[in-house]
Amino acid sequence: MEKQKPHQTTDLSQSVTEAFIKHETFLKRFLSRFLSRPQDIEDVVQETYLKAFSAEKKQKIHQPKAFLFRVARNAALTELTKKSQQIINYVEDYDGLEIINDEASVEDYAIAPCSYFLFVPHEGVSIAYFTFWYLAFYLALTIFIIPYLAWANEFTATSEEKTLVFSVMAVVGQVSGALFYVLPLLLFFATTEVTPEILKISVFLGIGFLVPGLFLALKVVPNGPAHVPLPTLDAQGQPIAELSLTQKLKGVLSGLVNNKPFVLYVLAFMCLGIGVGMWGGLFFIYVDTYLLLGAEFAELSLWGMAMGAAAIPVWYRLALRWGKRKTWLIGMALYLVVFIGTGLLRPGPDGLHTLFALNMLMTFASGSMGVIAAPMLCDTIDYGRLKDGAERSALYFSIQALMTKVQLAIGGALGFAIVGWFGFDMQATEQTELSLIGLRLSVSWAPTVFVLLAMVFIALMPLNEARMAIIRRKLRARDAGAGDVTCGAEDGA
């Protein structure tokens, strides 16, 4: 088989020495993201030049600048690994000394068990320990989040109210995520890294907000109206007093499959999620290994979360003005711009500003999901309830929660499978042209196709604000017992 040609750029005439002289200052700034001591940075810079110069004697270096940064990154990671091993050895030596005070403080017993034991583990934890508390934490989170979302749907009556409530929830989620990244930047911490101390403080802060917030919600937020399900009729049109388990399951499956707007929502949500999962799963690798800007990733993430929170009020206003369906299509169009733009980026510091702009645009576009996805699901829930009379909000949100996990897993796995098939190697100092095609395919072109499919499914959804007003008016009339409005959702839709 013919050997693949290495990826080439416009700096073919440069030597490693010329590239080193030209970019030494930026190289040191790049290494400062990995190493804090000036002497360590200087040592790694010199080591980088010697290794690159030696490699150039053996073979032609097609990208001297990119090659220097890859060698520097690998050398910095090696230095960090050695320092981590020194710390481990020190701890192992210290373990044999007499401990003066090993009593657990009061705060160790005051935190919620799942979060505490997962994020603040004791020494010497096993895989079984981590697996148990990991599953317990996410089980508790799932049990919490499904009724939380279904409740928001039930106590809101109009599209405007649902959009407002879910927008506020999205803003709070973005702000809380940003706070986690801000914590290490506070002056009273010794390092800007996410340390066990940061995780511990995050758990305490989370509990501190969760408990009073839950109390206020239970005290202030109203329950949704009680919905009386329609009776199930037999072949002769007579109500069935008691349904068997098989009949109940058939009724549930029939209600889901025959809910056309919900089926289209599922297809759109899955396609969009797989595309975002492919991009998100490989984005750091793309930025770090290919673009050589991995040291900027944490700062990019922080700015992105700030943009995500600021974008939500904008999407809320757009949804009220143009409707949820059109607004979500605009958000998906912005996803397309990000994915295509990502594939056009090239290695080196010159692309940092473009990368920053694309990341900000990505988080701005993601705000449309937080504002619109859940209210659109609420529309399909009300459509289904008018059609078959059953209240299944929790089931619909359970399916969405499952899709959220599955779509990202599929997207990430598919992206890694493609780059692996094309021969991309994270540890390689130079990538073949074929491997870079695979990387761009996974992080750019394939996500673009999935988002285009999602846009088609959203455009086909028959529900808009006017039709939902009719459907909800019929639901209110039926719940109040005012007239026979059980002829089906199609009359209003």
Side-chain angles (χ1 to χ4, degrees):
M1 180 182 292
E2 184 180 356
K3 187 176 180 181
Q4 294 291 330
K5 294 174 65 178
H7 178 62
Q8 299 184 10
T9 59
T10 57
D11 59 346
L12 292 175
S13 61
Q14 268 193 334
S15 68
V16 163
T17 301
E18 291 170 338
F20 178 79
I21 293 172
K22 183 176 179 180
H23 301 289
E24 182 180 5
T25 301
F26 186 81
L27 192 65
K28 290 180 179 180
R29 193 159 71 246
F30 171 74
L31 288 171
S32 68
R33 299 290 183 174
F34 298 90
L35 306 168
S36 56
R37 294 180 65 243
Q39 186 58 49
D40 291 339
I41 295 173
E42 192 64 38
D43 291 344
V44 171
V45 167
Q46 297 304 319
E47 180 185 352
T48 297
Y49 173 70
L50 292 175
K51 286 184 176 180
F53 183 75
S54 177
E56 189 180 36
K57 288 184 176 180
K58 300 176 183 178
Q59 62 182 20
K60 174 67 176 178
I61 304 299
H62 295 280
Q63 307 175 66
K65 180 175 67 175
F67 184 78
L68 277 171
F69 279 89
R70 288 195 181 96
V71 172
R73 172 183 173 275
N74 292 338
L77 293 177
T78 301
E79 182 68 19
L80 287 174
T81 301
K82 288 192 294 186
K83 289 184 178 298
S84 298
Q85 188 60 46
Q86 291 172 359
I87 294 173
I88 293 171
N89 293 337
Y90 173 77
V91 171
E92 289 175 348
D93 293 339
Y94 184 76
D95 191 48
L97 298 178
E98 180 183 1
I99 305 298
I100 297 176
N101 182 11
D102 62 351
E103 291 184 1
S105 61
V106 175
E107 66 216 27
D108 294 330
Y109 297 104
I111 202 162
C114 290
S115 347
Y116 180 82
F117 288 113
L118 178 61
F119 295 107
V120 194
H122 60 76
E123 293 183 5
V125 299
S126 63
I127 295 178
Y129 173 98
F130 173 78
T131 302
F132 175 81
W133 287 111
Y134 180 82
L135 294 176
F137 175 81
Y138 279 99
L139 175 62
L141 181 63
T142 302
I143 293 173
F144 167 81
I145 201 70
I146 291 171
Y148 168 68
L149 296 173
W151 189 12
N153 175 43
E154 290 177 357
F155 75 78
T156 50
T158 65
S159 292
E160 292 77 9
E161 289 178 355
K162 295 177 189 296
T163 304
L164 175 60
V165 168
F166 283 103
S167 297
V168 172
M169 292 162 63
V171 169
V172 173
Q174 289 283 352
V175 171
S176 61
L179 287 176
F180 176 78
Y181 285 96
V182 167
L183 271 178
L185 303 179
L186 298 179
L187 296 177
F188 47 79
F189 289 114
T191 176
T192 58
E193 297 177 0
V194 178
T195 62
E197 182 185 9
I198 295 294
L199 290 176
K200 185 174 182 179
I201 292 174
S202 300
V203 169
F204 276 96
L205 289 175
I207 296 296
F209 284 112
L210 177 63
V211 173
L214 185 59
F215 174 78
L216 288 174
L218 294 173
K219 198 78 173 172
V220 177
V221 179
N223 290 320
H227 302 302
V228 180
L230 296 178
T232 302
L233 306 179
D234 59 17
Q236 287 73 39
Q238 299 299 317
I240 300 175
E242 185 66 30
L243 295 177
S244 66
L245 178 60
T246 302
Q247 289 174 317
K248 291 179 181 179
L249 290 175
K250 285 183 178 179
V252 170
L253 292 175
S254 175
L256 295 176
V257 173
N258 292 324
N259 189 336
K260 179 183 175 182
F262 176 68
V263 173
L264 289 170
Y265 176 86
V266 168
L267 292 172
F269 195 78
M270 286 299 295
C271 286
L272 179 60
I274 291 173
V276 173
M278 293 185 71
W279 183 88
L282 289 167
F283 185 58
F284 175 74
I285 294 174
Y286 190 79
V287 170
D288 185 46
T289 305
Y290 176 56
L291 300 181
L292 305 173
L293 296 171
E296 313 292 337
F297 192 80
E299 189 172 345
L300 286 174
S301 300
L302 182 58
W303 279 105
M305 286 189 174
M307 170 58 78
I312 289 171
V314 177
W315 289 113
Y316 169 69
R317 292 294 180 185
L318 291 176
L320 294 183
R321 183 178 180 86
W322 292 332
K324 296 187 291 293
R325 184 174 56 181
K326 290 181 181 178
T327 303
W328 204 4
L329 287 172
I330 294 172
M332 291 184 181
L334 295 181
Y335 277 121
L336 293 179
V337 174
V338 172
F339 294 157
I340 294 172
T342 301
L344 298 176
L345 289 172
R346 290 298 179 264
D350 297 339
L352 179 59
H353 292 93
T354 305
L355 176 65
F356 179 82
L358 288 174
N359 185 65
M360 297 292 278
L361 186 60
M362 180 66 179
T363 52
F364 182 84
S366 299
S368 64
M369 281 282 288
V371 172
I372 299 168
M376 285 194 74
L377 178 60
C378 293
D379 290 349
T380 69
I381 293 171
D382 288 343
Y383 176 93
R385 188 163 71 86
L386 182 61
K387 191 168 185 178
D388 61 18
E391 169 55 53
R392 299 192 179 103
S393 292
L395 175 61
Y396 282 94
F397 279 105
S398 298
I399 294 173
Q400 186 190 45
L402 177 63
M403 288 194 299
T404 301
K405 294 176 174 61
V406 169
Q407 65 187 188
L408 297 178
I410 292 175
L414 183 60
F416 279 104
I418 291 174
V419 296
W421 186 52
F422 276 81
F424 183 83
D425 183 3
M426 287 179 57
Q427 301 300 323
T429 55
E430 285 192 274
Q431 302 292 339
T432 65
E433 189 66 36
L434 181 62
S435 67
L436 293 176
I437 290 174
L439 183 61
R440 285 193 288 271
L441 175 64
S442 298
V443 83
S444 177
W445 313 127
T448 297
V449 173
F450 279 108
V451 173
L452 285 172
L453 288 174
M455 293 178 74
V456 171
F457 293 130
I458 289 298
L460 292 174
M461 286 191 71
L463 303 179
N464 56 27
E465 275 62 30
R467 291 179 176 178
M468 287 312 303
I470 296 172
I471 289 173
R472 287 176 177 132
R473 186 167 64 248
K474 287 191 172 187
L475 285 173
R476 287 193 297 270
R478 189 172 70 189
D479 290 338
D484 182 12
V485 290
T486 61
C487 55
E490 291 86 351
D491 296 338

